[in-house]
Amino acid sequence: MRSTTSTIIVALLIFCYLGVTTTCFAAAVSPTPTPSGESCRSDSIAADVRGGGIANSIDEKAISLIKQFLTTSSTDGQNKELLIQGWRWHCMSLIRDADRLERLAAHLYSNKVDDDSGLDALLSAADYVVNFNMAGLHRIETTMFVKWLRKNLCNVDAFGDGSNAAAMATAFVKVIDKIDSQRVDCEKIGKDLYDNASASSRSSITTDQRQRYLLEVVRLATRLSDQLHLMRDLQEMLVVPSISQLVSVSEQKSFNNKVLLALGLLESRVHLVGMHDAVWESGSDIEKQKFEKEIPYVARIMIERWRKSLYAPKGAWALDYGVSDK
């Protein structure tokens, strides 16, 4: 039986942590994934992120309506508190890990590494990023969060009796649909990425074949990062402030309680370590302050212990393979 102290630590952690799940899926490995030979960076996606991709992917009228609503409601004294920070931090953590995976694959490719330790690290890193970190985020989104967003942001009644109520609800439908389609795209990219990482570690292939697989992992990790950046931009610009304005604190708390049933103790602690690192690496004092405010002290002081006992053994250690200590 757990000690009272351990129970309190876990209870406090889970109480404040929302936006991830605990059950991972096992990515199916195709017998012969074929590298496409494309360049390492997806120019179309990168341009979408850096060149106004949000406006291009959703019609400008919908975005304009939501922005106008947010501008108006920000001055009328409505609720402006967001309790679902874990979702945001998990997205940041996943982006960070995709970038680290790209760096690892690029290191192995550039140095033509074919020893077992390097290739095992790549497979462990890909498994952690795709089958644990991203799988956790996506499972909570698909089973609960997207439905909750549709209920609260795509409901005409949420906008009162105004003449734009129906148009507002429709605008949010388009936004949530886009987030859902981006998630599906990320899942496809992730599966291909894991398949190629697995293929690169096979002892039966030639050096040239291994190099092609490694190059494909670099390309796919870059695509994944770009797509995740696009999703986060959309969420931060339109979804996060809309939740604050439209969803009451009591409703957010009620949803939190439902999500708690989907959380597990071990996995939530692993995710918390990744979220902490993403927040601190972002360099944002505002995010750091939010983290220290929302995450209880007793949980925060356990992060370094969980890093060694849970986070690294889960496979996250591999993301820093070949990186010199700073």
Side-chain angles (χ1 to χ4, degrees), residues 159-180:
F159 304 97
D161 300 325
S163 58
N164 284 337
M168 284 297 306
T170 299
F172 276 109
V173 167
K174 294 178 180 179
V175 171
I176 306 306
D177 284 348
K178 182 60 180 178
I179 289 176
D180 223 14

Side-chain angles (χ1 to χ4, degrees), residues 285-303:
D285 290 336
I286 293 177
E287 290 296 343
K288 292 178 183 179
Q289 291 169 7
K290 288 179 181 177
F291 191 90
E292 292 181 340
K293 177 183 177 181
E294 298 297 330
I295 305 300
Y297 173 76
V298 71
R300 284 186 276 122
I301 63 174
M302 294 294 292
I303 287 177

Side-chain angles (χ1 to χ4, degrees), residues 19 45 83 100 128 144 166 183 196 222 259 279 291 297 305:
I45 295 181
L83 302 181
R100 294 164 74 200
Y128 176 81
M144 300 183 70
R183 176 190 55 75
N196 278 276
T222 303
V259 172
V279 168
F291 191 90
Y297 173 76
R305 177 180 297 182

Side-chain angles (χ1 to χ4, degrees), residues 102-115 117-123 200 210-211 214 218 321-322:
E102 175 190 355
R103 181 187 64 193
L104 170 60
H107 166 74
L108 297 178
Y109 174 79
S110 299
N111 293 280
K112 295 186 177 181
V113 174
D114 60 1
D115 61 273
S117 62
L119 297 173
D120 288 346
L122 179 64
L123 187 56
S200 70
R210 179 168 289 110
Q211 285 295 97
L214 289 173
V218 174
Y321 179 89

Side-chain angles (χ1 to χ4, degrees), residues 27-31 33 190-200 202 213 217:
V29 180
S30 61
K191 181 185 180 302
D192 288 345
L193 189 159
Y194 182 81
D195 287 352
N196 278 276
S198 178
S200 70
R202 295 173 184 167
Y213 286 127
V217 173

Side-chain angles (χ1 to χ4, degrees), residues 145-325:
F145 194 53
V146 170
K147 294 177 183 178
W148 185 78
L149 288 177
R150 292 189 188 282
K151 172 187 173 184
N152 288 282
L153 302 185
C154 304
N155 186 348
V156 175
D157 295 337
F159 304 97
D161 300 325
S163 58
N164 284 337
M168 284 297 306
T170 299
F172 276 109
V173 167
K174 294 178 180 179
V175 171
I176 306 306
D177 284 348
K178 182 60 180 178
I179 289 176
D180 223 14
S181 68
Q182 289 173 329
R183 176 190 55 75
V184 172
D185 289 343
C186 286
E187 288 180 350
K188 293 177 180 177
I189 295 170
K191 181 185 180 302
D192 288 345
L193 189 159
Y194 182 81
D195 287 352
N196 278 276
S198 178
S200 70
S201 66
R202 295 173 184 167
S203 59
S204 59
I205 62 175
T206 66
T207 299
D208 287 343
Q209 288 173 324
R210 179 168 289 110
Q211 285 295 97
R212 289 198 296 271
Y213 286 127
L214 289 173
L215 183 60
E216 186 69 353
V217 173
V218 174
R219 186 188 72 85
L220 290 168
T222 303
R223 284 190 60 199
L224 180 61
S225 176
D226 287 343
Q227 187 76 329
L228 290 168
H229 274 290
L230 181 60
M231 289 179 67
R232 185 166 187 266
D233 288 345
L234 180 60
Q235 293 163 0
E236 293 291 321
M237 182 176 74
L238 302 177
V239 177
V240 168
S242 297
I243 292 175
S244 300
Q245 296 295 341
L246 288 171
V247 186
S248 67
V249 170
S250 61
E251 172 61 24
Q252 292 187 54
K253 288 182 178 179
S254 175
F255 180 68
N256 282 357
N257 291 335
K258 294 176 183 178
V259 172
L260 295 183
L261 298 176
L263 298 177
L265 307 184
L266 171 63
E267 286 80 1
S268 63
R269 286 176 280 180
V270 175
H271 285 303
L272 185 64
V273 176
M275 291 193 297
H276 165 273
D277 291 352
V279 168
W280 253 252
E281 198 170 285
S282 73
S284 169
D285 290 336
I286 293 177
E287 290 296 343
K288 292 178 183 179
Q289 291 169 7
K290 288 179 181 177
F291 191 90
E292 292 181 340
K293 177 183 177 181
E294 298 297 330
I295 305 300
Y297 173 76
V298 71
R300 284 186 276 122
I301 63 174
M302 294 294 292
I303 287 177
E304 290 308 313
R305 177 180 297 182
W306 291 337
R307 181 190 309 283
K308 297 177 182 178
S309 63
L310 302 173
Y311 180 73
K314 194 66 180 177
W317 68 270
L319 289 165
D320 291 322
Y321 179 89
V323 178
S324 301
D325 295 333

